[in-house]
Amino acid sequence: MSAVALDKPANATLRRWTDFFLLIAGLVVVWYLLHLWAGEVALTSPYETVAKLIDLLGQAWFWPHVGETLLALFYSLLIASIGGLGLGTLLGIHRLSGQVAEPILVALYALPKITLYPLILLIFGLGLSAKVAFGAIHGIIPVTIFALNAVRNIKPVYLKTARVMRLTPLQAMRTVWVPAALPEIVSGQRIGFALTLLGVLLGEMFASQQGLGFLIINAIGLNDVPVIMALALLLALFAVAVSSALLALDRKLHQRS
Amino acid sequence: MSKVGWIRLAIVLGSVGLLEILCQSGVIRPLTMIPPSRMAVELWKLGASGKLAPPVTKTLGNVAAAFILSVVFGFIAGLLIHALPRFRRALDPLLASYYAVPFFVFYPVLIVIFGMSDLPIIIIGFLFGVVAMIINTLNGLDRVPTVLLKVGRMNRMSALQTAALIKLPSAAPYLFTGVKLAVAYSFIGVIASEFILSGSGIGYDIAYAYNNFDNRTMYALMLFILTTVTALNMALYIWEQRMLKRRQGGR
Amino acid sequence: MAASVETMPDAPKTMRDIHAPVHASVAGVTRIFPAVGEQPPVHALGPLDLDLVKGEFFAVVGPSGCGKSTLLEVLAGLSAPTEGSVTFEGQPVSGQVPDGVGVVFQEDASFPWLTVWDNVAFGLRRAGFDASEITRRVDYAVGFMGLADFAQAYPAQLSGGMRQRVCIARTLVLQPRLILLDEPFGALDQQTRLLMGDELLRLWRETGATVLLITHALDEAAMLSDRVGAMSARPGRFIELVETGWPRERDSRIVSEDSFGRLTGHLWSLLREESMKASGHQMGRQK
Ligand SMILES: Nc1ncnc2c1ncn2[C@@H]1O[C@H](COP(=O)(O)OP(=O)(O)OP(=O)(O)O)[C@@H](O)[C@H]1O
Ligand SMILES: [Mg+2]
């Protein structure tokens, strides 16, 4: 009995990874079947997509586009995650502003912000700043909403405890507020990351002559399906890698509470 | 209306008013943005001329189709995935990163497969909306208190009865969030596709107006989208608050 | 129903019918929760044996975390024992809660989306009673639990104790033959506890049900039950089964009996060391 129980953790990790790869394998099979059904012109096969992607990665002209996208993503993330965190925290602490702002934020979150791209272009012109703006407006709202709720939903009894123990505001911040709110904040950052990336790519598709989004819209214009598929695969791999790391952190923090 | 509601209204009206003043006074150049009042007038004219109705019916029809498919499939898929914890653990990282992949890049692929009809657009809207519904269904099911499920077992309820009478009502607030997001994402998917390739719909008309420097039509259409989505969202919000009120009481 | 207290001295020492058939039993039961991550497996319960005699009122006391709730879940068929067997009315219990068993849980289990009335009617509707019978039983139970003014309220509008009463009512309207209660009065004040105890006793007498009551209040255990099982610190085992010797006709006024004080004192002496173990105190100072 105890032997089984003892070696369970190792098995569980192994099994999780096996499950994950089985799932990926299943998706590849579905992809391949779709390819067979839709035909070569419509949907590139998994093998050819990977080959195309490797080919692209070997081209010198390709890397500046990647760098451009990463740079825009970095700036947008900086604005979205830090700005959203600060704004959300303030709104969470100040109850009335939070109540006033929350429905407005939710309404903004629901807006198809892509509609605004002409406006962004008119303000910022083509180039990096338009992309960053586009990424940031996509990401900052969910980060703010999550941070707001994280701070607002800290159980009042925790805060009272901090007061009873006569912690200084800084101590209370460090030992009570942050640990209590952190799990939700990380969830918000996770969603913020995904939407910021989406926003940057959208920005590049419409407001730029550089970056992966630009390559995609170009390929769409030329109806170059292999390139579309290869770039989509690259983006999916990147998104899954970053999200998985954030998700693991998220899980760890939520398990504790 | 409550004090909070009045403040909120004042802030929204104030922002619109400020924008109006900035535009009227020329701080924001008319080439960048026309005053909100002009947008409304232009929208009214557009409506009266009969040029608004065709793209609106097209876009809203596609959004509605995508939304309904998302909610129904998302809920059923959520129930199934929740029942398979191993599959779900493997799937989680994919769900978490789903929205970072701009699915409308597959729009041309879908056009090759399905032809130049509404179907590719509806599929894109569905692909965007369905995962929000799945994620929130899972979220809600995760938070059904175990003790309530024990009550179900004590009453010797079948799996179907437990799902309908305990899990569904218990998860309802989360399902509602899923429904709201499904509306938002269906809009995003549909309009983004219209921007990219389609030859009709509001998204296409906005892009067309932009390319022809027709700021008046463009802003009128943008105003239309923003107000429609916001009105829809507010209606859902009020409905949701009403439902939650009695459940949460004063707490 | 209060008349019996004066007749106590003449009453036989024990009123529990020790010749009655066994109603539910656990034999050699243990429960070990498997390891989770770094946390090693938890041996929560047993090995432990218990025969509940039909119609008796059995109380379980023990230090916090000793496995009382775990015992209840195993007995109810809500979770399977790691080893050993459970029977109810002669049938083995496994995987399913048997018909005729009612449970009131330690946590708040009221449905937040149903009114008090609908909460109480929930089980009856599932069991397919006809509408007039449901109305009759629910109205009675809601009144009985002092919730008549709140029949159409939602649980969120009630206090913790009132919500617990909703759950008790929801279980009792089904008229279970074996009632398992996990600290049902935990959220009530002492006076209400005593009164609810009286009501529980009356119900127990009227229905002839077998009752297992988990409580952290020694006086409550001593007052209500025919037998008290005192449990050791985790892994929980019975260190002694104490016969209270109360007559079947009894109520909260027995708290003024001399023997009541002796009983509670005895229970405390049994549990003092165990409770210290459970809360990690060093012992031996009082030896
Ligand atoms: N799901 C679980 N997984 C792992 N361990 C558990 C689980 N449930 C209970 N335990 C462990 O089993 C032991 C007994 O728990 P149980 O809930 O039965 O205690 P209890 O006697 O009812 O305590 P209390 O009086 O505080 O309600 C505890 O030490 C607890 O840590
Ligand atoms: Mg317990």
Side-chain angles (χ1 to χ4, degrees):
Chain A
M1 165 71 219
S2 67
V4 173
L6 278 180
D7 56 23
K8 208 166 180 189
N11 277 344
T13 318
L14 185 68
R15 201 179 66 179
R16 261 209 307 283
W17 280 105
T18 334
D19 286 355
F20 183 69
F21 286 115
L22 279 176
L23 179 69
I24 299 293
L27 287 177
V28 173
V29 169
V30 171
W31 177 0
Y32 185 68
L33 292 177
L34 279 176
H35 158 76
L36 289 183
W37 174 69
E40 183 63 47
V41 192
L43 195 65
T44 326
S45 75
Y47 173 75
E48 279 166 81
T49 306
V50 173
K52 183 78 202 171
L53 179 58
I54 292 171
D55 174 41
L56 283 177
L57 292 176
Q59 311 266 345
W61 58 264
F62 184 69
W63 287 98
H65 289 287
V66 176
E68 182 77 9
T69 300
L70 286 178
L71 187 69
L73 180 63
F74 174 75
Y75 285 136
S76 330
L77 274 178
L78 216 59
I79 297 174
S81 59
I82 296 180
L85 186 59
L87 191 60
T89 309
L90 288 180
L91 292 174
I93 293 175
H94 195 256
R95 215 147 262 270
L96 181 63
S97 345
Q99 280 173 341
V100 171
E102 199 189 4
I104 299 179
L105 288 169
V106 171
L108 290 177
Y109 185 39
L111 287 183
K113 280 165 278 293
I114 187 164
T115 323
L116 299 176
Y117 95 83
L119 176 63
I120 301 269
L121 276 184
L122 288 171
I123 296 175
F124 292 96
L126 284 183
L128 186 65
S129 43
K131 292 194 281 189
V132 171
F134 222 62
I137 59 169
H138 275 83
I140 196 166
I141 297 170
V143 174
T144 309
I145 295 177
F146 270 79
L148 191 167
N149 281 312
V151 173
R152 187 169 56 187
N153 294 342
I154 297 176
K155 283 193 197 142
V157 65
Y158 294 167
L159 305 182
K160 284 183 205 157
T161 310
R163 274 171 47 200
V164 169
M165 293 181 168
R166 301 158 66 81
L167 302 184
T168 65
L170 211 67
Q171 284 175 320
M173 201 66 172
R174 197 170 52 84
T175 55
V176 180
W177 290 71
V178 171
L182 202 58
E184 278 303 288
I185 288 176
V186 171
S187 303
Q189 297 285 353
R190 195 161 60 72
I191 293 166
F193 165 78
L195 289 177
T196 308
L197 179 56
L198 177 69
V200 167
L201 291 169
L202 283 173
E204 288 184 337
M205 290 172 80
F206 300 114
S208 178
Q209 302 290 337
Q210 264 183 327
L212 297 178
F214 168 71
L215 292 183
I216 289 177
I217 196 83
N218 228 4
I220 288 177
L222 299 169
N223 209 359
D224 187 348
V225 177
V227 171
I228 297 178
M229 296 290 293
L231 290 173
L233 178 65
L234 178 66
L235 289 172
L237 290 177
F238 175 64
V240 171
V242 177
S243 292
S244 303
L246 284 171
L247 185 67
L249 181 66
D250 197 342
R251 281 252 177 74
K252 209 166 182 174
L253 290 170
H254 269 101
Q255 233 166 38
R256 236 182 27 191
S257 56
Chain B
M1 200 156 61
S2 63
K3 182 178 144 212
V4 173
W6 285 113
I7 299 178
R8 194 180 298 138
L9 190 67
I11 289 182
V12 172
L13 291 180
S15 318
V16 176
L18 184 68
L19 205 59
E20 179 79 29
I21 293 171
L22 289 178
C23 290
Q24 294 282 7
S25 65
V27 176
I28 297 178
R29 287 175 306 131
L31 275 179
T32 308
M33 190 191 256
I34 61 174
S37 58
R38 276 292 296 281
M39 295 183 198
V41 172
E42 293 297 335
L43 178 58
W44 179 257
K45 278 199 233 160
L46 209 60
S49 73
K51 275 194 237 154
L52 188 61
V56 163
T57 7
K58 182 122 191 154
T59 301
L60 293 189
N62 287 347
V63 169
F67 162 74
I68 292 169
L69 287 173
S70 308
V71 168
V72 174
F73 275 87
F75 178 66
I76 295 173
L79 274 180
L80 292 178
I81 295 170
H82 193 260
L84 305 166
R86 264 181 81 177
F87 177 60
R88 193 246 171 113
R89 267 206 93 94
L91 194 64
D92 263 343
L94 299 187
L95 291 181
S97 46
Y98 186 84
Y99 281 108
V101 183
F103 271 87
F104 36 81
V105 304
F106 295 120
Y107 184 56
V109 175
L110 290 173
I111 288 188
V112 177
I113 299 175
F114 295 105
M116 195 73 181
S117 66
D118 284 342
L119 200 56
I121 291 191
I122 293 175
I123 291 176
I124 300 268
F126 164 75
L127 285 176
F128 259 77
V130 70
V131 169
M133 191 65 198
I134 293 178
I135 291 175
N136 283 285
T137 305
L138 289 173
N139 239 335
L141 292 176
D142 284 345
R143 284 169 178 75
V144 177
T146 36
V147 70
L148 299 189
L149 299 178
K150 285 180 195 164
V151 174
R153 286 179 61 195
M154 188 184 93
N155 286 297
R156 304 209 308 289
M157 287 157 64
S158 69
L160 213 64
Q161 279 180 320
T162 312
L165 295 169
I166 296 184
K167 289 182 182 171
L168 182 76
S170 183
Y174 292 89
L175 298 181
F176 217 100
T177 309
V179 169
K180 283 198 303 187
L181 288 176
V183 174
Y185 282 117
S186 303
F187 261 103
I188 296 175
V190 167
I191 292 184
S193 311
E194 288 175 350
F195 267 132
I196 292 176
L197 261 187
S198 139
S200 59
I202 302 176
Y204 168 78
D205 284 357
I206 291 179
Y208 187 81
Y210 171 72
N211 291 332
N212 291 295
F213 307 103
D214 181 1
N215 264 8
R216 291 194 230 155
T217 312
M218 186 180 91
Y219 277 110
L221 290 170
M222 276 162 84
L223 181 69
F224 176 80
I225 291 281
L226 300 192
T227 44
T228 309
V229 175
T230 308
L232 208 59
N233 200 57
M234 284 297 139
L236 285 171
Y237 181 79
I238 291 168
W239 184 20
E240 179 186 32
Q241 292 302 314
R242 223 170 259 168
M243 181 191 79
L244 289 180
K245 205 164 178 183
R246 59 180 195 207
R247 272 174 76 156
Q248 287 165 350
R251 280 183 299 167
Chain C
M1 64 176 181
S4 58
V5 176
E6 282 77 49
T7 64
M8 258 291 284
D10 307 313
K13 196 64 193 119
T14 176
M15 296 298 291
R16 189 169 69 91
D17 183 0
I18 50 173
H19 302 296
V22 169
H23 197 195
S25 79
V26 299
V29 158
T30 62
R31 180 91 169 95
I32 299 170
F33 289 100
V36 179
E38 300 290 295
Q39 174 69 33
V42 177
H43 186 171
L45 184 70
L48 167 150
D49 304 283
L50 176 67
D51 287 335
L52 290 177
V53 171
K54 189 157 178 51
E56 83 167 312
F57 197 127
F58 188 91
V60 179
V61 290
S64 176
C66 74
K68 303 183 294 293
S69 300
T70 307
L71 170 63
L72 175 136
E73 295 217 345
V74 168
L75 193 54
L78 282 165
S79 57
T82 308
E83 285 164 330
S85 63
V86 184
T87 57
F88 172 65
E89 296 181 340
Q91 300 295 315
V93 174
S94 61
Q96 246 209 357
V97 181
D99 187 23
V101 174
V103 186
V104 177
F105 296 96
Q106 189 170 7
E107 307 98 311
D108 172 22
S110 57
F111 295 129
W113 59 90
L114 295 179
T115 61
V116 166
W117 206 95
D118 289 328
N119 257 293
V120 177
F122 185 85
L124 293 170
R125 289 191 174 133
R126 297 288 71 68
F129 283 87
D130 63 52
S132 61
E133 175 69 4
I134 294 179
T135 311
R136 195 181 66 73
R137 285 201 200 182
V138 174
D139 282 342
Y140 177 76
V142 166
F144 180 88
M145 285 288 157
L147 295 165
D149 291 344
F150 293 91
Q152 294 310 315
Y154 286 87
Q157 293 155 272
L158 307 183
S159 73
M162 291 162 89
R163 264 179 257 156
Q164 196 60 6
R165 276 184 267 159
V166 171
C167 297
I168 297 174
R170 189 173 64 191
T171 299
L172 293 186
V173 286
L174 292 164
Q175 301 179 349
R177 300 187 292 284
L178 173 63
I179 309 176
L180 308 172
L181 302 141
D182 197 347
E183 305 206 2
F185 309 143
L188 301 182
D189 62 278
Q190 183 65 19
Q191 298 84 293
T192 316
R193 289 176 84 107
L194 289 173
L195 291 179
M196 292 295 291
D198 281 343
E199 295 301 345
L200 185 59
L201 280 174
R202 187 158 69 82
L203 212 104
W204 164 68
R205 265 195 308 271
E206 280 173 8
T207 60
T210 310
V211 174
L212 179 129
L213 170 76
I214 295 175
T215 172
H216 59 249
L218 299 182
D219 53 347
E220 195 169 274
M223 167 187 128
L224 293 175
S225 62
D226 296 315
R227 274 199 301 172
V228 183
M231 277 174 93
S232 67
R234 186 178 61 81
R237 261 169 267 202
F238 286 118
I239 35 183
E240 193 175 318
L241 300 181
V242 182
E243 302 265 354
T244 61
W246 302 125
R248 199 172 165 81
E249 290 287 331
R250 59 178 180 255
D251 68 27
S252 56
R253 279 175 288 170
I254 55 177
V255 295
S256 53
E257 299 276 320
D258 288 346
S259 49
F260 178 80
R262 278 201 297 279
L263 206 56
T264 343
H266 177 58
L267 289 175
W268 177 230
S269 67
L270 284 173
L271 288 177
R272 186 160 182 270
E273 276 197 18
E274 295 301 327
S275 306
M276 284 176 138
K277 263 190 233 165
S279 50
H281 274 267
Q282 287 298 320
M283 283 170 306
R285 230 194 297 158
Q286 33 90 27
K287 260 190 181 167

